[in-house]
Amino acid sequence: MSDQDTTTTPVAAPADLWTSIDALWTWLDTHGPYDGREGLLLRMLKLSEEVGEAAQAVIGVMGQNPRKGTTHTWEDVQSELCDVVITALVALRTLTPDAREVFDRHLARVRERSLGAAGAPGTQAGPPRPEPRA
């Protein structure tokens, strides 16, 4: 289970996403025990760890492990997915100082490929997806 608080306390003034990513990257580069190639590889491995924690939370929500039963909530899954996104963006920032531009270009390509040139939601929509059960 995540050891992070998942309550929804309003934040006074949310920081810009990329300003936060840059600050986290700077902090990690300053305080990390490894730099260079080793630091880069470890940052990529951290992403796999976070994905595993998200998978563990989903298994916990579904009660898939009969020995443990239901051990997580959908809020835990949300928190773990946020950790995945943050870790991925910091890893991207580790690879390039132009992380924002790289991400924006890639997102535009994925959006066009998935939603069509107009980018209108539902352009190429499939069947409706079921909502997760609470």
Side-chain angles (χ1 to χ4, degrees):
M1 217 182 324
S2 174
D3 53 342
Q4 297 159 358
D5 184 12
T6 58
T7 58
T8 55
T9 305
V11 178
D16 173 72
L17 173 69
W18 290 104
T19 300
S20 297
I21 295 302
D22 282 339
L24 289 167
W25 172 80
T26 299
W27 178 77
L28 284 170
D29 268 14
T30 303
H31 295 89
Y34 298 97
D35 57 5
R37 197 167 188 83
E38 285 179 324
L40 173 64
L41 292 174
L42 289 170
R43 206 149 294 161
M44 299 303 149
L45 288 175
K46 181 67 177 169
L47 182 56
S48 294
E49 177 192 6
E50 295 298 343
V51 170
E53 290 175 8
Q56 181 181 10
V58 171
I59 289 168
V61 166
M62 304 302 289
Q64 185 63 29
N65 185 334
R67 184 175 53 83
K68 294 181 180 179
T70 301
T71 58
H72 290 74
T73 65
W74 284 111
E75 288 79 20
D76 293 325
V77 175
Q78 291 171 8
S79 177
E80 295 300 342
L81 288 173
C82 288
D83 288 347
V84 170
V85 171
I86 293 165
T87 303
L89 292 176
V90 170
L92 179 60
R93 174 59 184 88
T94 301
L95 289 174
T96 177
D98 300 324
R100 182 181 194 147
E101 292 78 18
V102 169
F103 182 80
D104 287 347
R105 279 193 311 268
H106 188 77
L107 180 59
R109 285 193 302 269
V110 170
R111 182 178 171 94
E112 184 173 338
R113 181 177 66 228
S114 300
L115 302 176
T123 302
Q124 297 180 6
R129 294 193 174 126
E131 291 294 319
R133 288 182 281 166

